[in-house]
């Protein structure tokens, strides 16, 4: 019975049929959808990058130059002010009294001088007629000169008293923004006080102090010799420009402890995008590379031996190509070696790829 069943199975499934099924190759995997872009030549700005700190263009600690009671605080904390705007008022009455006293002393001396001049004229007339001694005439002449000198001293005292009175009206020395009030109204302030009344900072324009490695100094100096050097403050991820400015100066010595050189940039800062004390990344435009090979930065992959990209072959597969990469900025990578203009490279979907895999290529700007 078993033999009959086995014979029927063999007749129903002959051995050559089983061998033909086993010999069929597995179906190929579907192509991997990716986005591609062409390697293109273009002009690329070459940047030098460094970290910097924003500093106010001018900072003034406003202090009282005379002693007295702070009668009035005329500013609001954090408000913008112009040069000459009233910030505070100190009790002017003692200083006005001193000015009035000096003015009165001058008037008194002027009256004495006028009388002394009349007496001198009389003595001169009598001396000519022989009725007065020459010594008396000389003494009167000396008195007139003494009173004239005294009036000059009175004028100096008046000028000093006027200056002290003017100091009671405290105004902003610069255009800027006030900080936190350091003294409240009603307090007695002194010229010797260390803290002052308020700090005014100039925010427009504004400065940034940043550093670069010392080996980049030659590039910076070459750029400065060619004209105005543009700089930009960018966000921490390097993608968003915060403000644009120009390089103002390079420090006159290299910091030997860090091997860096300090530079100072100036930004108009009309929109207040930069703030004193803020840390920013600075990009300095050192040069423009002409007709260099570039790829989109998103095409770059990083391996143990450096950067590489997937290059599309003529048969629709991909291969790995190691690269020598120069600058990467603004989403564009400059390629010193590894690919040539016109080649197609993968810009999206690399995680599913390996050498020899077939792809379904779409342009990087085509809808997915």
């Amino acid at each position: 019975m078993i033999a009959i069943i086995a014979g029927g199975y063999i007749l129903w499934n002959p051995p050559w049929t089983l061998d033909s099924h086993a010999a069929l190759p597995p179906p190929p995997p579907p192509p991997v959808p990716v986005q591609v872009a062409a390697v293109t030549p273009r002009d690329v700005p070459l940047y030098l990058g460094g970290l910097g700190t924003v500093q106010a263009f001018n900072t003034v600690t406003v202090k009282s130059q005379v002693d007295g009671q702070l009668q009035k605080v005329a500013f609001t904390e954090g408000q913008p002010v112009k040069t000459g705007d009233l910030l505070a008022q100190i009790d002017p009455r003692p200083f006005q009294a001193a000015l009035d006293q000096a003015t009165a002393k001058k008037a008194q001396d002027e009256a004495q001088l006028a009388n002394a001049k009349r007496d001198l004229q009389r003595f001169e007339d009598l001396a000519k007629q022989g009725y007065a001694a020459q010594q008396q005439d000389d003494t009167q002449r000396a008195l007139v000169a003494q009173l004239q000198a005294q009036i000059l001293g009175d004028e100096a005292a008046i000028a000093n008293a006027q200056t002290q009175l003017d100091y009671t009206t405290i105004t902003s020395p610069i255009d800027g923004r006030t900080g936190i009030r350091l003294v409240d109204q009603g307090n007695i302030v002194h010229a010797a006080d260390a803290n002052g009344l308020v700090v005014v900072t100039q925010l427009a324009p504004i400065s940034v102090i940043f550093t670069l490695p010392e080996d980049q100094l030659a590039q910076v100096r070459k750029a400065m010799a060619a004209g105005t050097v543009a700089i930009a403050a960018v966000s921490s991820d390097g993608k968003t420009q915060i403000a644009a400015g120009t390089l103002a100066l390079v420090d006159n010595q290299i910091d030997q402890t860090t091997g860096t050189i300090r530079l100072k940039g100036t930004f108009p800062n009309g929109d207040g995008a930069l703030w004193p004390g803020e840390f920013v990344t600075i990009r300095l435009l050192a040069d423009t590379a002409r007709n260099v090979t570039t790829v989109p930065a998103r095409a770059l992959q990083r391996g143990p031996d450096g950067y590489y990209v997937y290059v599309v072959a003529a048969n629709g597969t991909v291969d790995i190509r190691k690269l020598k990469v120069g600058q990467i900025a603004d989403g564009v990578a400059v390629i010193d070696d590894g690919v040539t203009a016109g080649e197609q490279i993968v810009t999206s979907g690399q995680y599913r790829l390996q050498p020899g895999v077939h792809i379904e290529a779409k342009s990087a700007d085509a809808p997915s």
Side-chain angles (χ1 to χ4, degrees):
M1 182 67 180
I2 295 175
I4 296 172
I5 293 173
Y9 177 81
I10 292 173
L11 291 174
W12 186 258
N13 295 287
W16 58 85
T17 305
L18 295 177
D19 292 342
S20 64
H21 284 301
L24 290 177
V32 177
V34 296
Q35 289 185 336
V36 299
V39 179
T40 56
R42 68 171 73 179
D43 295 343
V44 176
L46 300 180
Y47 295 105
L48 304 178
L51 295 177
T53 305
V54 181
Q55 293 186 355
F57 202 73
N58 287 297
T59 301
V60 178
T61 301
V62 179
K63 298 181 178 181
S64 173
Q65 294 179 271
V66 293
D67 299 346
Q69 184 184 43
L70 185 61
Q71 280 190 337
K72 179 182 180 181
V73 174
F75 66 90
T76 302
E77 294 171 307
Q79 80 172 73
V81 293
K82 298 290 186 181
T83 302
D85 285 354
L86 179 65
L87 297 179
Q89 180 68 57
I90 294 174
D91 185 3
R93 292 174 298 178
F95 304 96
Q96 183 63 57
L99 175 60
D100 294 342
Q101 185 176 11
T103 303
K105 180 64 168 58
K106 179 185 176 183
Q108 179 183 1
D109 292 339
E110 286 177 335
Q112 291 180 352
L113 175 61
N115 183 62
K117 284 182 176 180
R118 288 192 293 269
D119 288 344
L120 176 60
Q121 185 62 47
R122 296 189 188 100
F123 286 132
E124 287 178 344
D125 293 341
L126 292 174
K128 291 177 182 178
Q129 299 175 9
Y131 297 121
Q134 185 62 40
Q135 181 180 1
Q136 193 174 19
D137 180 72
D138 293 342
T139 300
Q140 190 62 30
R141 190 180 302 277
L143 178 60
V144 169
Q146 178 182 346
L147 291 172
Q148 288 174 332
Q150 192 165 326
I151 290 175
L152 292 177
D154 293 339
E155 291 174 347
I158 291 173
N160 180 66
Q162 182 65 61
T163 300
Q164 297 299 307
L165 178 61
D166 293 341
Y167 284 159
T168 63
T169 300
I170 301 174
T171 59
S172 177
I174 60 172
D175 294 350
R177 183 181 294 270
T178 61
I180 297 174
R181 185 177 66 251
L182 303 178
V183 179
D184 294 329
Q185 181 174 313
N187 281 280
I188 302 297
V189 296
H190 305 275
D193 289 344
N195 293 333
L197 306 178
V198 68
V199 177
V200 179
T201 55
Q202 185 176 355
L203 305 181
I206 204 166
S207 299
V208 174
I209 305 296
F210 62 102
T211 59
L212 292 175
E214 62 177 316
D215 57 4
Q216 295 179 349
L217 177 59
Q219 294 175 265
V220 175
R221 295 185 63 186
K222 180 180 177 181
M224 294 181 71
T228 302
V229 179
I231 61 174
V234 298
S235 58
S236 57
D237 59 7
K239 297 180 179 179
T240 305
Q241 179 172 304
I242 302 172
T246 56
L247 181 64
L249 62 93
V250 178
D251 200 5
N252 58 4
Q253 58 183 346
I254 292 173
D255 187 341
Q256 296 182 349
T257 59
T258 61
T260 58
I261 184 74
R262 296 205 316 162
L263 304 93
K264 183 176 183 180
T266 301
F267 294 81
N269 204 40
D271 58 356
L274 299 177
W275 207 255
E278 180 181 4
F279 290 100
V280 293
T281 299
I282 296 295
R283 289 195 318 190
L284 183 150
L285 179 59
D287 198 359
T288 299
R290 305 294 179 184
N291 200 37
V292 293
T293 302
T294 66
V295 300
R298 62 182 179 275
L300 299 179
Q301 302 295 298
R302 185 135 199 166
D305 297 327
Y307 287 107
Y308 66 92
V309 293
Y310 286 100
V311 179
V312 181
N315 62 355
T317 62
V318 294
D319 193 14
I320 285 180
R321 191 81 60 80
K322 294 181 180 180
L323 302 178
K324 184 178 180 182
V325 180
Q327 171 185 276
I328 302 175
D330 295 332
V332 176
V334 177
I335 307 303
D336 296 333
D337 188 33
V339 292
T340 58
E343 288 188 295
Q344 296 286 317
I345 59 172
V346 178
T347 60
S348 177
Q350 297 98 322
Y351 69 98
R352 299 177 59 185
L353 298 181
Q354 58 183 352
V357 169
H358 284 267
I359 62 167
E360 179 185 353
K362 296 182 180 180
S363 175
D365 55 0
S368 55

